[in-house]
Amino acid sequence: MNDRNPPRGSLGTARGTALYLGAILGPGVLALPGLAANAAGPAALLAWVALLVLSIPVAATFAELAARRPDAGGVATFTRAAFGDRAAAVGGWWFFSVIPVGASSAALVGAAYIADAAGFGRTAVTAIAAILLATAFAANHIGLRLSGGAQLVLMGLLIALLAVACAAALPHFDPANLRPFAPHGFAGVFSAAAVLFYAFSGWEAASHLSGEFTDPTRQLRRVTALALAVVATVYLALATATAGVLGGRAAHSAVPLTDLLAYGFGPAAAPLTAVCAALLSLGAMNTFIAGASRLGAALARDGAMPAPLAKGHEPGRTPHRSLAVLAVLTGTAFTGATWFGLGLDVQMRATSAVLAGVTVLACAAAVRLLTGRARVRALLATACTAAIGTALSWYLLLPLGIAVLALAYLRSRPGRPLPHPVAVRQGA
């Protein structure tokens, strides 16, 4: 590829920001406030704030890397430039493999809210989740321009709905709901931060779309800043309302967002939450599927996955073969999670463990590739993410197992060295 005149994609700043928001503002906001409150009580607010602060150097680091080398390989491309082919393959396999689990859990979360609002039973949850998954894959099959346009509408509606929920609930804030503030001590806050990592992962997903922007160097930093500002505002408002308005009820409610909306809309809260659930689920799945399908094609292009999957890796094209493989894996993960009845907490922590590995690896690559203040930010992001990742304990065996599979695949290709794309350019 000619770095002087790289192929240009179709994403502008508005659509790009919408896709970034879809990666961060996922369906986790439907369930995570309750899970975090259960782990830490009102002190879960500290975990929310800490992760928002951590998001600043993480987001800035991914923006710097993506602006220097906009490519569908995303994390794999950055890691290859810093640590070589094997590390790149491991990072790429981590992200590609976790998307089926993340998409499956996202669909199930959204479907549960929709079914609850409609008064349907558990059987309907599975059917609704399957429809949500099919819709997200269909949008990506048609093309990223349509997908990005749809995302722009979805994110606008979603942010408006979340703003209304918080505005309606915050006048009922009661300081008494913050006592006792930390019933489970620091350990509870640390545990809450581990499960909340699910809500803050996503910058790595968006990095795989960097090659789709019309002017990546100029747009990526602006898009990242806009997305970070929106995410910080929404999450802080939601966390504050959950702790100060719902109090102890948040830890035991399966639908905390419905409870918040009830202050402003009464009986209409349930159907409104169902709309929010659909928007969140589709928005998150849309971005993660788009990023992962392009990553699969880029990995195949670079020799880290079967060569036939490389078709369509160029910016502006849809990698249909990689997308098809991702659809099959997602269907398998969805069926398995449903069959074995895996709980939401288990699925979210498993997804967080793999994404934490991806983030640590990419930020460590940035430490080696960047200089000046950008390198300091990358070092901070690496250390903090690694520290939070330790709270995921045995879930970290999952990225370890995926790494073994990736390295085994590379060893099965004797005499076929991986192509070595142009490295990320050094810079401040």
PDB file of all heavy atoms in Angstrom, residues 92-102 292 295 305 326 329 333 354 402 405:
ATOM      1  N   GLY A  92      -4.556 -10.006  17.598  1.00  0.00           N
ATOM      2  CA  GLY A  92      -5.631 -10.079  16.619  1.00  0.00           C
ATOM      3  C   GLY A  92      -6.613 -11.196  16.922  1.00  0.00           C
ATOM      4  O   GLY A  92      -7.826 -11.014  16.847  1.00  0.00           O
ATOM      5  N   TRP A  93      -6.091 -12.358  17.284  1.00  0.00           N
ATOM      6  CA  TRP A  93      -6.957 -13.493  17.627  1.00  0.00           C
ATOM      7  C   TRP A  93      -7.775 -13.182  18.874  1.00  0.00           C
ATOM      8  O   TRP A  93      -8.931 -13.586  18.984  1.00  0.00           O
ATOM      9  CB  TRP A  93      -6.121 -14.750  17.842  1.00  0.00           C
ATOM     10  CG  TRP A  93      -5.824 -15.499  16.573  1.00  0.00           C
ATOM     11  CD1 TRP A  93      -5.191 -15.017  15.471  1.00  0.00           C
ATOM     12  CD2 TRP A  93      -6.132 -16.868  16.294  1.00  0.00           C
ATOM     13  NE1 TRP A  93      -5.079 -15.996  14.517  1.00  0.00           N
ATOM     14  CE2 TRP A  93      -5.640 -17.148  14.994  1.00  0.00           C
ATOM     15  CE3 TRP A  93      -6.738 -17.895  17.013  1.00  0.00           C
ATOM     16  CZ2 TRP A  93      -5.774 -18.402  14.406  1.00  0.00           C
ATOM     17  CZ3 TRP A  93      -6.867 -19.148  16.427  1.00  0.00           C
ATOM     18  CH2 TRP A  93      -6.395 -19.393  15.139  1.00  0.00           C
ATOM     19  N   TRP A  94      -7.187 -12.490  19.830  1.00  0.00           N
ATOM     20  CA  TRP A  94      -7.923 -12.115  21.046  1.00  0.00           C
ATOM     21  C   TRP A  94      -9.175 -11.327  20.672  1.00  0.00           C
ATOM     22  O   TRP A  94     -10.279 -11.670  21.100  1.00  0.00           O
ATOM     23  CB  TRP A  94      -7.044 -11.258  21.962  1.00  0.00           C
ATOM     24  CG  TRP A  94      -6.156 -12.042  22.868  1.00  0.00           C
ATOM     25  CD1 TRP A  94      -6.237 -13.381  23.150  1.00  0.00           C
ATOM     26  CD2 TRP A  94      -5.050 -11.535  23.622  1.00  0.00           C
ATOM     27  NE1 TRP A  94      -5.246 -13.733  24.030  1.00  0.00           N
ATOM     28  CE2 TRP A  94      -4.513 -12.627  24.337  1.00  0.00           C
ATOM     29  CE3 TRP A  94      -4.465 -10.277  23.766  1.00  0.00           C
ATOM     30  CZ2 TRP A  94      -3.417 -12.489  25.186  1.00  0.00           C
ATOM     31  CZ3 TRP A  94      -3.378 -10.140  24.601  1.00  0.00           C
ATOM     32  CH2 TRP A  94      -2.858 -11.238  25.310  1.00  0.00           C
ATOM     33  N   PHE A  95      -8.987 -10.285  19.887  1.00  0.00           N
ATOM     34  CA  PHE A  95     -10.130  -9.429  19.581  1.00  0.00           C
ATOM     35  C   PHE A  95     -11.146 -10.154  18.705  1.00  0.00           C
ATOM     36  O   PHE A  95     -12.354 -10.091  18.959  1.00  0.00           O
ATOM     37  CB  PHE A  95      -9.671  -8.144  18.891  1.00  0.00           C
ATOM     38  CG  PHE A  95     -10.789  -7.168  18.683  1.00  0.00           C
ATOM     39  CD1 PHE A  95     -11.225  -6.367  19.725  1.00  0.00           C
ATOM     40  CD2 PHE A  95     -11.425  -7.070  17.461  1.00  0.00           C
ATOM     41  CE1 PHE A  95     -12.280  -5.489  19.555  1.00  0.00           C
ATOM     42  CE2 PHE A  95     -12.481  -6.197  17.279  1.00  0.00           C
ATOM     43  CZ  PHE A  95     -12.901  -5.403  18.323  1.00  0.00           C
ATOM     44  N   PHE A  96     -10.675 -10.839  17.681  1.00  0.00           N
ATOM     45  CA  PHE A  96     -11.594 -11.530  16.768  1.00  0.00           C
ATOM     46  C   PHE A  96     -12.399 -12.597  17.506  1.00  0.00           C
ATOM     47  O   PHE A  96     -13.593 -12.778  17.251  1.00  0.00           O
ATOM     48  CB  PHE A  96     -10.806 -12.169  15.621  1.00  0.00           C
ATOM     49  CG  PHE A  96     -11.673 -12.698  14.509  1.00  0.00           C
ATOM     50  CD1 PHE A  96     -12.126 -11.849  13.507  1.00  0.00           C
ATOM     51  CD2 PHE A  96     -12.036 -14.036  14.454  1.00  0.00           C
ATOM     52  CE1 PHE A  96     -12.930 -12.331  12.479  1.00  0.00           C
ATOM     53  CE2 PHE A  96     -12.837 -14.524  13.432  1.00  0.00           C
ATOM     54  CZ  PHE A  96     -13.287 -13.660  12.441  1.00  0.00           C
ATOM     55  N   SER A  97     -11.743 -13.308  18.435  1.00  0.00           N
ATOM     56  CA  SER A  97     -12.405 -14.410  19.133  1.00  0.00           C
ATOM     57  C   SER A  97     -13.399 -13.960  20.182  1.00  0.00           C
ATOM     58  O   SER A  97     -14.363 -14.676  20.480  1.00  0.00           O
ATOM     59  CB  SER A  97     -11.351 -15.312  19.802  1.00  0.00           C
ATOM     60  OG  SER A  97     -10.466 -15.850  18.847  1.00  0.00           O
ATOM     61  N   VAL A  98     -13.181 -12.792  20.774  1.00  0.00           N
ATOM     62  CA  VAL A  98     -14.065 -12.354  21.859  1.00  0.00           C
ATOM     63  C   VAL A  98     -15.334 -11.693  21.347  1.00  0.00           C
ATOM     64  O   VAL A  98     -16.343 -11.634  22.061  1.00  0.00           O
ATOM     65  CB  VAL A  98     -13.320 -11.397  22.815  1.00  0.00           C
ATOM     66  CG1 VAL A  98     -13.256  -9.982  22.247  1.00  0.00           C
ATOM     67  CG2 VAL A  98     -13.990 -11.376  24.186  1.00  0.00           C
ATOM     68  N   ILE A  99     -15.331 -11.227  20.112  1.00  0.00           N
ATOM     69  CA  ILE A  99     -16.513 -10.540  19.587  1.00  0.00           C
ATOM     70  C   ILE A  99     -17.748 -11.432  19.560  1.00  0.00           C
ATOM     71  O   ILE A  99     -18.849 -10.971  19.901  1.00  0.00           O
ATOM     72  CB  ILE A  99     -16.219  -9.956  18.193  1.00  0.00           C
ATOM     73  CG1 ILE A  99     -15.171  -8.853  18.308  1.00  0.00           C
ATOM     74  CG2 ILE A  99     -17.491  -9.397  17.557  1.00  0.00           C
ATOM     75  CD1 ILE A  99     -15.478  -7.797  19.341  1.00  0.00           C
ATOM     76  N   PRO A 100     -17.644 -12.704  19.160  1.00  0.00           N
ATOM     77  CA  PRO A 100     -18.841 -13.553  19.225  1.00  0.00           C
ATOM     78  C   PRO A 100     -19.459 -13.627  20.617  1.00  0.00           C
ATOM     79  O   PRO A 100     -20.689 -13.612  20.754  1.00  0.00           O
ATOM     80  CB  PRO A 100     -18.316 -14.925  18.775  1.00  0.00           C
ATOM     81  CG  PRO A 100     -17.190 -14.599  17.848  1.00  0.00           C
ATOM     82  CD  PRO A 100     -16.534 -13.399  18.469  1.00  0.00           C
ATOM     83  N   VAL A 101     -18.631 -13.682  21.658  1.00  0.00           N
ATOM     84  CA  VAL A 101     -19.152 -13.725  23.028  1.00  0.00           C
ATOM     85  C   VAL A 101     -19.765 -12.380  23.402  1.00  0.00           C
ATOM     86  O   VAL A 101     -20.864 -12.304  23.975  1.00  0.00           O
ATOM     87  CB  VAL A 101     -18.038 -14.097  24.028  1.00  0.00           C
ATOM     88  CG1 VAL A 101     -18.596 -14.141  25.448  1.00  0.00           C
ATOM     89  CG2 VAL A 101     -17.420 -15.431  23.665  1.00  0.00           C
ATOM     90  N   GLY A 102     -19.049 -11.302  23.071  1.00  0.00           N
ATOM     91  CA  GLY A 102     -19.558  -9.974  23.390  1.00  0.00           C
ATOM     92  C   GLY A 102     -20.845  -9.652  22.648  1.00  0.00           C
ATOM     93  O   GLY A 102     -21.784  -9.090  23.227  1.00  0.00           O
ATOM     94  N   ALA A 292     -14.356  -6.181  13.896  1.00  0.00           N
ATOM     95  CA  ALA A 292     -13.823  -7.546  13.921  1.00  0.00           C
ATOM     96  C   ALA A 292     -13.771  -8.152  12.531  1.00  0.00           C
ATOM     97  O   ALA A 292     -12.831  -8.891  12.191  1.00  0.00           O
ATOM     98  CB  ALA A 292     -14.659  -8.421  14.851  1.00  0.00           C
ATOM     99  N   LEU A 295     -10.820  -6.782  10.882  1.00  0.00           N
ATOM    100  CA  LEU A 295      -9.620  -7.339  11.497  1.00  0.00           C
ATOM    101  C   LEU A 295      -9.352  -8.737  10.963  1.00  0.00           C
ATOM    102  O   LEU A 295      -8.207  -9.088  10.649  1.00  0.00           O
ATOM    103  CB  LEU A 295      -9.781  -7.392  13.015  1.00  0.00           C
ATOM    104  CG  LEU A 295      -8.715  -8.185  13.770  1.00  0.00           C
ATOM    105  CD1 LEU A 295      -7.339  -7.550  13.573  1.00  0.00           C
ATOM    106  CD2 LEU A 295      -9.059  -8.280  15.243  1.00  0.00           C
ATOM    107  N   MET A 305      -4.292 -15.666   9.676  1.00  0.00           N
ATOM    108  CA  MET A 305      -5.520 -16.449   9.543  1.00  0.00           C
ATOM    109  C   MET A 305      -5.558 -17.003   8.121  1.00  0.00           C
ATOM    110  O   MET A 305      -4.776 -16.574   7.261  1.00  0.00           O
ATOM    111  CB  MET A 305      -6.754 -15.589   9.844  1.00  0.00           C
ATOM    112  CG  MET A 305      -7.052 -15.419  11.311  1.00  0.00           C
ATOM    113  SD  MET A 305      -8.667 -14.647  11.621  1.00  0.00           S
ATOM    114  CE  MET A 305      -8.754 -14.842  13.412  1.00  0.00           C
ATOM    115  N   LEU A 326     -17.337 -14.796  11.170  1.00  0.00           N
ATOM    116  CA  LEU A 326     -17.710 -14.163  12.439  1.00  0.00           C
ATOM    117  C   LEU A 326     -19.168 -14.477  12.785  1.00  0.00           C
ATOM    118  O   LEU A 326     -19.503 -14.705  13.954  1.00  0.00           O
ATOM    119  CB  LEU A 326     -17.502 -12.653  12.326  1.00  0.00           C
ATOM    120  CG  LEU A 326     -17.470 -11.841  13.626  1.00  0.00           C
ATOM    121  CD1 LEU A 326     -16.295 -12.270  14.489  1.00  0.00           C
ATOM    122  CD2 LEU A 326     -17.378 -10.353  13.313  1.00  0.00           C
ATOM    123  N   LEU A 329     -19.336 -18.065  14.144  1.00  0.00           N
ATOM    124  CA  LEU A 329     -18.798 -18.128  15.503  1.00  0.00           C
ATOM    125  C   LEU A 329     -19.752 -17.480  16.504  1.00  0.00           C
ATOM    126  O   LEU A 329     -19.933 -17.978  17.618  1.00  0.00           O
ATOM    127  CB  LEU A 329     -17.436 -17.426  15.560  1.00  0.00           C
ATOM    128  CG  LEU A 329     -16.293 -18.105  14.799  1.00  0.00           C
ATOM    129  CD1 LEU A 329     -15.037 -17.243  14.856  1.00  0.00           C
ATOM    130  CD2 LEU A 329     -16.008 -19.492  15.368  1.00  0.00           C
ATOM    131  N   ALA A 333     -21.517 -19.199  19.715  1.00  0.00           N
ATOM    132  CA  ALA A 333     -21.420 -18.651  21.073  1.00  0.00           C
ATOM    133  C   ALA A 333     -22.801 -18.352  21.646  1.00  0.00           C
ATOM    134  O   ALA A 333     -23.079 -18.624  22.822  1.00  0.00           O
ATOM    135  CB  ALA A 333     -20.581 -17.373  21.057  1.00  0.00           C
ATOM    136  N   VAL A 354     -10.605 -10.731  28.076  1.00  0.00           N
ATOM    137  CA  VAL A 354      -9.937 -10.762  26.773  1.00  0.00           C
ATOM    138  C   VAL A 354      -9.669  -9.338  26.272  1.00  0.00           C
ATOM    139  O   VAL A 354      -8.583  -9.035  25.769  1.00  0.00           O
ATOM    140  CB  VAL A 354     -10.777 -11.546  25.750  1.00  0.00           C
ATOM    141  CG1 VAL A 354     -10.069 -11.564  24.391  1.00  0.00           C
ATOM    142  CG2 VAL A 354     -11.009 -12.969  26.222  1.00  0.00           C
ATOM    143  N   ILE A 402      -6.599 -18.598  24.159  1.00  0.00           N
ATOM    144  CA  ILE A 402      -6.669 -18.084  22.788  1.00  0.00           C
ATOM    145  C   ILE A 402      -5.267 -17.822  22.241  1.00  0.00           C
ATOM    146  O   ILE A 402      -4.977 -18.084  21.072  1.00  0.00           O
ATOM    147  CB  ILE A 402      -7.516 -16.806  22.742  1.00  0.00           C
ATOM    148  CG1 ILE A 402      -8.966 -17.124  23.132  1.00  0.00           C
ATOM    149  CG2 ILE A 402      -7.472 -16.179  21.348  1.00  0.00           C
ATOM    150  CD1 ILE A 402      -9.828 -15.895  23.302  1.00  0.00           C
ATOM    151  N   LEU A 405      -3.781 -21.022  20.995  1.00  0.00           N
ATOM    152  CA  LEU A 405      -4.339 -21.404  19.695  1.00  0.00           C
ATOM    153  C   LEU A 405      -3.737 -20.579  18.564  1.00  0.00           C
ATOM    154  O   LEU A 405      -3.421 -21.112  17.486  1.00  0.00           O
ATOM    155  CB  LEU A 405      -5.856 -21.226  19.712  1.00  0.00           C
ATOM    156  CG  LEU A 405      -6.656 -22.185  20.586  1.00  0.00           C
ATOM    157  CD1 LEU A 405      -8.140 -21.815  20.566  1.00  0.00           C
ATOM    158  CD2 LEU A 405      -6.476 -23.630  20.102  1.00  0.00           C
TER     159      LEU A 405
END
